[in-house]
mmCIF file of all heavy atoms in Angstrom:
data_model
loop_
_atom_site.group_PDB
_atom_site.id
_atom_site.type_symbol
_atom_site.label_atom_id
_atom_site.label_comp_id
_atom_site.label_asym_id
_atom_site.label_seq_id
_atom_site.Cartn_x
_atom_site.Cartn_y
_atom_site.Cartn_z
ATOM 1 N N PRO A 353 58.966 -12.670 32.445
ATOM 2 C CA PRO A 353 57.456 -12.300 32.496
ATOM 3 C C PRO A 353 56.549 -13.446 32.911
ATOM 4 O O PRO A 353 55.573 -13.339 33.675
ATOM 5 C CB PRO A 353 57.157 -11.692 31.195
ATOM 6 C CG PRO A 353 58.270 -12.006 30.296
ATOM 7 C CD PRO A 353 59.456 -12.196 31.146
ATOM 8 N N SER A 354 56.963 -14.620 32.413
ATOM 9 C CA SER A 354 56.054 -15.835 32.720
ATOM 10 C C SER A 354 56.080 -16.108 34.125
ATOM 11 O O SER A 354 55.061 -16.555 34.690
ATOM 12 C CB SER A 354 56.550 -16.963 31.859
ATOM 13 O OG SER A 354 56.555 -16.667 30.507
ATOM 14 N N PHE A 360 51.167 -14.021 40.105
ATOM 15 C CA PHE A 360 49.880 -13.342 40.159
ATOM 16 C C PHE A 360 48.741 -14.348 40.033
ATOM 17 O O PHE A 360 47.765 -14.277 40.817
ATOM 18 C CB PHE A 360 49.895 -12.420 38.999
ATOM 19 C CG PHE A 360 48.595 -11.892 38.575
ATOM 20 C CD1 PHE A 360 47.653 -11.320 39.537
ATOM 21 C CD2 PHE A 360 48.121 -11.858 37.318
ATOM 22 C CE1 PHE A 360 46.435 -10.813 39.266
ATOM 23 C CE2 PHE A 360 46.828 -11.413 36.900
ATOM 24 C CZ PHE A 360 46.031 -10.831 37.888
ATOM 25 N N SER A 388 47.991 -20.977 29.232
ATOM 26 C CA SER A 388 49.248 -20.422 28.695
ATOM 27 C C SER A 388 50.299 -19.996 29.637
ATOM 28 O O SER A 388 51.309 -19.386 29.400
ATOM 29 C CB SER A 388 48.923 -19.151 27.759
ATOM 30 O OG SER A 388 48.312 -18.230 28.492
ATOM 31 N N SER A 454 39.903 -11.124 33.020
ATOM 32 C CA SER A 454 39.937 -11.410 31.540
ATOM 33 C C SER A 454 40.337 -10.215 30.835
ATOM 34 O O SER A 454 39.931 -9.087 31.215
ATOM 35 C CB SER A 454 38.506 -11.858 31.061
ATOM 36 O OG SER A 454 38.334 -11.518 29.784
ATOM 37 N N GLN A 462 37.367 -5.117 36.412
ATOM 38 C CA GLN A 462 38.808 -5.237 36.912
ATOM 39 C C GLN A 462 38.832 -4.800 38.312
ATOM 40 O O GLN A 462 39.433 -5.411 39.275
ATOM 41 C CB GLN A 462 39.754 -4.431 36.033
ATOM 42 C CG GLN A 462 39.821 -4.943 34.601
ATOM 43 C CD GLN A 462 40.823 -4.001 33.795
ATOM 44 O OE1 GLN A 462 41.946 -3.799 34.267
ATOM 45 N NE2 GLN A 462 40.436 -3.543 32.649
ATOM 46 N N HIS A 483 52.664 -5.644 32.699
ATOM 47 C CA HIS A 483 52.616 -5.801 31.254
ATOM 48 C C HIS A 483 53.665 -5.023 30.497
ATOM 49 O O HIS A 483 53.590 -4.933 29.278
ATOM 50 C CB HIS A 483 51.249 -5.529 30.722
ATOM 51 C CG HIS A 483 50.208 -6.470 31.148
ATOM 52 N ND1 HIS A 483 48.805 -6.389 31.101
ATOM 53 C CD2 HIS A 483 50.325 -7.732 31.756
ATOM 54 C CE1 HIS A 483 48.164 -7.406 31.456
ATOM 55 N NE2 HIS A 483 49.061 -8.225 31.966
ATOM 56 N N GLY A 486 56.748 -8.950 28.544
ATOM 57 C CA GLY A 486 55.999 -10.244 28.313
ATOM 58 C C GLY A 486 55.256 -10.097 26.970
ATOM 59 O O GLY A 486 55.260 -9.037 26.405
ATOM 60 N N GLN A 487 54.511 -11.159 26.771
ATOM 61 C CA GLN A 487 53.733 -11.274 25.416
ATOM 62 C C GLN A 487 52.365 -11.759 25.612
ATOM 63 O O GLN A 487 52.004 -12.321 26.658
ATOM 64 C CB GLN A 487 54.496 -12.292 24.663
ATOM 65 C CG GLN A 487 55.967 -11.975 24.270
ATOM 66 C CD GLN A 487 56.703 -13.079 23.583
ATOM 67 O OE1 GLN A 487 56.691 -14.198 24.004
ATOM 68 N NE2 GLN A 487 57.292 -12.734 22.406
ATOM 69 N N THR A 488 51.645 -11.557 24.601
ATOM 70 C CA THR A 488 50.323 -12.159 24.505
ATOM 71 C C THR A 488 50.083 -12.770 23.189
ATOM 72 O O THR A 488 50.672 -12.554 22.186
ATOM 73 C CB THR A 488 49.133 -11.002 24.708
ATOM 74 O OG1 THR A 488 47.871 -11.692 24.664
ATOM 75 C CG2 THR A 488 49.182 -9.976 23.670
ATOM 76 N N GLU A 489 49.150 -13.800 23.216
ATOM 77 C CA GLU A 489 48.815 -14.347 21.902
ATOM 78 C C GLU A 489 47.860 -13.542 21.140
ATOM 79 O O GLU A 489 47.037 -12.921 21.712
ATOM 80 C CB GLU A 489 48.229 -15.787 22.179
ATOM 81 C CG GLU A 489 49.242 -16.732 22.786
ATOM 82 C CD GLU A 489 48.660 -18.014 23.262
ATOM 83 O OE1 GLU A 489 47.366 -18.249 23.357
ATOM 84 O OE2 GLU A 489 49.488 -18.966 23.639
ATOM 85 N N PHE A 492 44.061 -12.984 21.843
ATOM 86 C CA PHE A 492 43.548 -12.064 22.858
ATOM 87 C C PHE A 492 43.467 -10.598 22.314
ATOM 88 O O PHE A 492 42.984 -9.812 23.118
ATOM 89 C CB PHE A 492 44.335 -12.188 24.124
ATOM 90 C CG PHE A 492 44.356 -13.520 24.792
ATOM 91 C CD1 PHE A 492 45.462 -14.124 24.988
ATOM 92 C CD2 PHE A 492 43.140 -14.068 25.137
ATOM 93 C CE1 PHE A 492 45.423 -15.441 25.578
ATOM 94 C CE2 PHE A 492 43.015 -15.377 25.775
ATOM 95 C CZ PHE A 492 44.203 -15.977 25.942
HETATM 96 C C1 HEM B 92 43.156 -6.874 34.751
HETATM 97 C C2 HEM B 92 44.096 -7.521 35.079
HETATM 98 C C3 HEM B 92 44.900 -8.442 34.061
HETATM 99 C C4 HEM B 92 44.591 -9.079 32.861
HETATM 100 C C5 HEM B 92 43.111 -8.889 32.227
HETATM 101 C C6 HEM B 92 45.655 -9.755 32.346
HETATM 102 C C7 HEM B 92 45.614 -10.387 31.144
HETATM 103 C C8 HEM B 92 46.765 -10.984 30.552
HETATM 104 C C9 HEM B 92 46.765 -11.671 29.344
HETATM 105 C C10 HEM B 92 45.527 -11.920 28.405
HETATM 106 C C11 HEM B 92 48.063 -12.027 29.071
HETATM 107 C C12 HEM B 92 48.524 -12.783 27.786
HETATM 108 C C13 HEM B 92 48.395 -14.226 28.101
HETATM 109 C C14 HEM B 92 48.741 -15.019 26.843
HETATM 110 O O1 HEM B 92 48.734 -14.612 25.653
HETATM 111 O O2 HEM B 92 49.031 -16.223 26.992
HETATM 112 C C15 HEM B 92 48.844 -11.539 30.158
HETATM 113 C C16 HEM B 92 50.204 -11.695 30.215
HETATM 114 C C17 HEM B 92 50.909 -11.292 31.364
HETATM 115 N N1 HEM B 92 50.393 -10.797 32.376
HETATM 116 FE FE1 HEM B 92 48.555 -10.249 32.872
HETATM 117 N N2 HEM B 92 46.701 -9.567 33.145
HETATM 118 C C18 HEM B 92 46.300 -8.817 34.289
HETATM 119 C C19 HEM B 92 46.952 -8.495 35.328
HETATM 120 C C20 HEM B 92 48.299 -8.901 35.510
HETATM 121 C C21 HEM B 92 49.032 -8.636 36.795
HETATM 122 C C22 HEM B 92 48.451 -8.053 38.064
HETATM 123 C C23 HEM B 92 50.340 -9.171 36.554
HETATM 124 C C24 HEM B 92 51.465 -9.249 37.536
HETATM 125 C C25 HEM B 92 51.596 -8.598 38.571
HETATM 126 C C26 HEM B 92 50.396 -9.579 35.254
HETATM 127 C C27 HEM B 92 51.444 -10.133 34.600
HETATM 128 C C28 HEM B 92 51.515 -10.594 33.262
HETATM 129 C C29 HEM B 92 52.732 -10.807 32.610
HETATM 130 C C30 HEM B 92 54.099 -10.620 33.072
HETATM 131 C C31 HEM B 92 52.348 -11.339 31.340
HETATM 132 C C32 HEM B 92 53.275 -11.871 30.201
HETATM 133 C C33 HEM B 92 53.460 -13.296 30.358
HETATM 134 C C34 HEM B 92 54.444 -14.052 29.428
HETATM 135 O O3 HEM B 92 55.075 -13.251 28.670
HETATM 136 O O4 HEM B 92 54.536 -15.220 29.654
HETATM 137 N N3 HEM B 92 49.139 -9.443 34.604
HETATM 138 N N4 HEM B 92 48.041 -10.899 31.049
#
Side-chain angles (χ1 to χ4, degrees):
S354 303
F360 163 53
S388 59
S454 149
Q462 298 183 47
H483 292 168
Q487 299 173 309
T488 180
E489 291 169 354
F492 294 124

